[in-house]
Structures are given as structure tokens and as C-alpha cells.
Amino acid sequence: MSIAEKSGALTMQQVLEKRSQHIAAADPVLSDDLFACNRLAAERHPESIDVRIKKVIPLGGGAVSYVFEPVSGGVLPMFRAGQFIDVPLSVGDSRITRVYSLCSSPLQSRKGEYQIAVKRDIWASAFIQDNWKEGDTLNISSPSGEFGFNPIRDAHNVIGIAGGSGITPFLSMARAICEGSEDFQLTLLYGCRTMEDRLFADELDDIASKCSKFKVVYVLSEEKVEGFESGY
């Protein structure tokens, strides 16, 4: 008699036979509802989200900021500072998709808010500014993208270069650093044509004054102002 038989334990052959019996008796279609992690993943990372325009905020310099909230209420999927959303647009008979970086902080999503900024330049952004209003509903993608701080890949001291409305992912990073959801040193070179073209300048300056890990340097290409860099 083997040791397994003496101890009452199953032999490997018996284990394989029992496993085969269980597999044969199981439902051939595996339900996702069996796994809580699948339900959580679907909730935290849906392919698309129905949102409502909560606020429309004029920024000056031909730009407007839009704050979204979930139509169903509650929180929005979390994201990393620097990520973007896809925004489908129907303009006449044309259907296009535009990509906008989130300028809100990651913790704002837990309060049910995403924020983007749209600068009026091409016809798509003009359509948005002329047609979007508070209360309108949209279907957007979940946040995605790799333009963000990666502690494994990146140095702790990061130099960012932004121009015009390209400030949005860096504003998200600055907000994240200030609130403590990101931990790195960011020095931002922000290029604009004039003083008036600087988007979110008051908030950037406020964050820089409160947080030693963030610094912003303005570079103006079309005017010279004391205390600011000039050039392109």
C-alpha cells in the first residue's frame, strides 16, 4: 500500500480524474458575474462614459474650459495626471473624434468631475465653443495615454515644455503634485505669445507659491515684459 493510500490522500491520478469530472459537469459559458474583480474593472474602466457639462468657464485668449460630471451621478474613472479622453463630435454629416488632455487632478474624478480646455483654432474647436452649453450630455471615452510621470522610467526632477493650450496635461500634473497624488519635481517652461494668452496663469502661480515641488517659467514670443523670459 502506498503512502497516499495509507494516509487517505488522493493520488495524482485521482486528482486528475476528479478535475476532469468537475470540468465536464461545469457550464461551458463562464459568467463574468462570478468574479468581483471583473465587475470592479467594468466600473472603474468602462469603454465610454455618459457625462453632462456642469460648467462652462471662459479663460481668455480664445479658450474655454468645460467641466463634466457623470450623468448617472457618483464618481468617474480614476486616471493618471497627463492622460486624455476621446470626444466624438457630429458636425453636420461628419462624425469625427478629437482628443483632449484632462486638466483636472486625479482626485477630482473621485468627486465626479473631469475638466478640459478648448482653444479656438480649427473648425472642430470652433464648433465646440459655439454649440456646447451647460446641461448638454456627451459620450466620452475613459482616460488613456502614457504622457505622465512614471517613477520607474523617469527622473524625479522633470522639465516640462508647453505652449498655448498644451498647458492642460501639465496643469493636471501640477494639481496632482499639490494634492499629493503625484510625487515628483516639475519645472514647467510655458510658452505663449503674450501675457493675455497664458491659460490658467493665476492658478499655476498659486500652486507654485504653495508647493515647492512645482515651478513655472513663462516665455513670451510676441512681447517683452519685465520678469518674464522672451523668445520662442
Side-chain angles (χ1 to χ4, degrees), residues 71-104:
V71 170
S72 59
V75 302
L76 287 163
M78 279 288 285
F79 66 96
R80 293 295 302 272
Q83 290 191 307
F84 61 83
I85 56 172
D86 295 329
V87 180
L89 298 173
S90 295
V91 184
D93 295 330
S94 301
R95 184 167 176 81
I96 61 172
T97 299
R98 285 291 178 264
V99 172
Y100 289 100
S101 294
L102 292 166
C103 57
S104 44

Side-chain angles (χ1 to χ4, degrees), residues 49-52 68-76 109 111-114:
I49 315 158
D50 291 322
V51 296
R52 181 186 297 108
F68 303 140
E69 63 181 357
V71 170
S72 59
V75 302
L76 287 163
S109 65
K111 299 176 182 178
E113 287 187 352
Y114 283 166

